[in-house]
Amino acid sequence: MKLNKQDILKALESITVPGEGQNMVESGAVKNVITFGDEVIVDITIKNPSLQAKKRTEVDILKIIHEQVYEKAKITVNVKVEAPAKPKANVIKGNPIPGIQNIVAVASGKGGVGKSTVTANLAVTLAKMGFKVGVLDADIYGPSIPIMFDVEAEKPLAVNIGGKSKMKPIENYGVKVLSIGFFTQPNQAVVWRGPMAAKALNQMIFDAHWGELDFLLLDLPPGTGDIHLSIMQSLPITGAVVVSTPQNVALADAKKGVAMFQQESINVPVLGIIENMAYFTPDELPDNKYYIFGKEGAKNLSEDLEVPFLGELPLVQSIREAGDVGRPAALQTATALEQAFEKLTQNVVQEVVRRNDDLPPTEAIKITTMAGCSAVKK
């Protein structure tokens, strides 16, 4: 008996692929039907990879053709499994802020490693290089940026922008600053749960008139918690810088900080690791280096994690003193500290440029102002 292809297709319309609602023909699962006399070849693709689904599909096809077309038909069923594409992880997205080109998060796995000090000195060094810079103090529970910029007694004013009332950041040393510290008393503890803190941060981010900025630095709180996730949900962060001391305890937490940014659902590029308090050199023995917290721990960690090492900063009393009086040490001229912060900042900018160059133009905003940065390609 000579079998007809249309009869075969009509029979297959009465059965479904296991786990799918439509019949085999309507769903497009049947890719081809070939007939030679009383022989039939059916090519079918299913999405269920289980052996049971493949066997059930084959048995159903044999049975329906034998019942509805020809009981002695010689049937070959070629079942191919085409598993559905693995869905992408839910990547945390953020809304861009008009006028802000690059947002760099400064983080640490633990407190006390000098993250805020590094942020303040990075900011003033960027400003000295000719960049337009802002700092958002995202450490809700321990805001220290107002002290380091000598503006702790200031209060942001409201300005009218496009018919909307916006906060005007406080400015000093060429850096625009916003912090929860401007809205609390010096002896007042901020006792807020996560959602309240996140709401306050969003107001400082989106209800502020930052204007045109080349860099907005985010001084994040220690750890890997709710504030960090809220920030990364709110903003498209260009990259993250992780600060650590060489001490093993700090390095263990710094590793977690890097891992947080590298999670598939977060996917924030880590620009590199900074080693703070790398060594101590007393004034009376300028050629001596004492590795109080260990030697090159953060440098070795960056190699292990395959992220850039951005540089090291010494343990110097004047850095602490300068932060306490509200004049970051990087503002000192013709000193070894100024050179150290300049080199560190150049490395950060270079990594931002490299990161932006490696992304499609539609996904990255290029830095256009490179004044004072010798590390940037001309």
Side-chain angles (χ1 to χ4, degrees):
M1 179 180 177
K2 185 177 181 180
L3 300 177
N4 185 285
K5 179 178 178 179
Q6 295 304 318
D7 294 337
I8 302 296
L9 290 172
K10 186 176 180 180
L12 295 178
E13 285 179 352
S14 60
I15 55 176
T16 61
V17 177
E20 298 182 24
Q22 295 175 308
N23 68 63
M24 290 183 174
V25 178
E26 185 181 343
S27 67
V30 176
K31 300 302 180 183
N32 197 18
V33 173
I34 303 173
T35 59
F36 299 97
D38 62 351
E39 295 184 21
V40 181
I41 300 175
V42 178
D43 295 329
I44 186 167
T45 300
I46 65 174
K47 295 178 181 178
N48 191 329
S50 68
L51 183 62
Q52 181 182 1
K54 291 173 66 177
K55 189 64 179 176
R56 169 76 182 279
T57 299
E58 184 178 356
V59 169
D60 285 351
I61 292 173
L62 293 173
K63 183 179 178 182
I64 202 69
I65 293 176
H66 283 150
E67 288 181 354
Q68 294 189 13
V69 182
Y70 180 48
E71 62 179 354
K72 295 182 179 179
K74 299 173 183 176
I75 307 167
T76 302
V77 180
N78 299 319
V79 182
K80 179 182 177 183
V81 176
E82 190 176 78
K86 183 182 177 182
K88 291 184 178 180
N90 292 325
V91 178
I92 296 175
K93 298 288 185 181
N95 299 317
I97 303 176
I100 297 180
Q101 295 192 26
N102 297 279
I103 301 173
V104 177
V106 183
S108 64
K110 71 190 305 297
V113 298
K115 169 184 50 59
S116 296
T117 300
V118 169
T119 302
N121 283 281
L122 275 177
V124 297
T125 305
L126 285 167
K128 285 168 63 178
M129 289 178 171
F131 293 107
K132 297 174 183 176
V133 188
V135 173
L136 174 64
D137 188 355
D139 194 347
I140 292 290
Y141 305 109
S144 53
I145 290 297
I147 296 175
M148 294 186 174
F149 279 87
D150 194 25
V151 291
E152 56 184 322
E154 301 289 336
K155 299 295 180 185
L157 300 175
V159 292
N160 191 294
I161 305 295
K164 294 183 179 180
S165 181
K166 298 274 188 179
M167 281 184 287
K168 183 181 180 182
I170 303 299
E171 188 167 346
N172 201 13
Y173 311 127
V175 179
K176 296 179 180 179
V177 178
L178 269 184
S179 168
I180 197 66
F182 293 141
F183 308 99
T184 59
Q185 297 300 319
N187 58 349
Q188 179 184 354
V190 178
V191 187
W192 288 346
R193 293 190 184 274
M196 188 77 171
K199 183 178 179 181
L201 278 175
N202 276 335
Q203 285 183 317
M204 287 194 293
I205 293 169
F206 296 107
D207 291 345
H209 178 54
W210 289 102
E212 299 290 327
L213 293 181
D214 296 306
F215 290 93
L216 176 62
L217 303 185
L218 306 179
D219 183 26
L220 295 180
T224 55
D226 189 56
I227 298 298
H228 304 76
L229 291 177
S230 297
I231 285 284
M232 287 179 283
Q233 284 176 319
S234 301
L235 293 172
I237 296 177
T238 307
V241 170
V242 177
V243 180
S244 178
T245 64
Q247 188 179 7
N248 285 340
V249 172
L251 293 173
D253 290 334
K255 187 184 298 184
K256 296 173 185 175
V258 172
M260 174 187 68
F261 290 113
Q262 291 180 337
Q263 282 189 50
E264 187 178 359
S265 61
I266 294 175
N267 197 26
V268 170
V270 177
L271 302 175
I273 296 176
I274 294 173
E275 183 170 274
N276 194 25
M277 309 181 206
Y279 57 86
F280 171 67
T281 297
D283 291 338
E284 63 274 15
L285 297 170
D287 295 328
N288 288 24
K289 289 184 178 181
Y290 299 94
Y291 298 94
I292 297 174
F293 297 110
K295 187 176 182 180
E296 298 183 343
K299 183 178 182 180
N300 294 332
L301 178 64
S302 68
E303 293 174 358
D304 292 342
L305 299 179
E306 297 181 347
V307 298
F309 180 65
L310 298 172
E312 60 183 19
L313 294 170
L315 176 61
V316 179
Q317 182 174 335
S318 63
I319 295 180
R320 191 271 304 165
E321 292 173 340
D324 285 349
V325 300
R327 185 173 172 82
L331 292 170
Q332 301 170 13
T333 57
T335 64
L337 283 181
E338 181 190 39
Q339 294 175 4
F341 282 116
E342 282 183 352
K343 182 178 179 182
L344 179 70
T345 305
Q346 288 172 359
N347 289 339
V348 171
V349 175
Q350 182 178 0
E351 290 304 322
V352 171
V353 173
R354 180 179 291 121
R355 182 265 187 209
N356 286 348
D357 283 345
D358 288 344
L359 290 174
T362 55
E363 295 185 25
I365 303 172
K366 305 292 184 182
I367 299 175
T368 56
T369 307
M370 289 299 154
C373 186
S374 60
V376 177
K377 293 180 285 186
K378 303 293 184 184

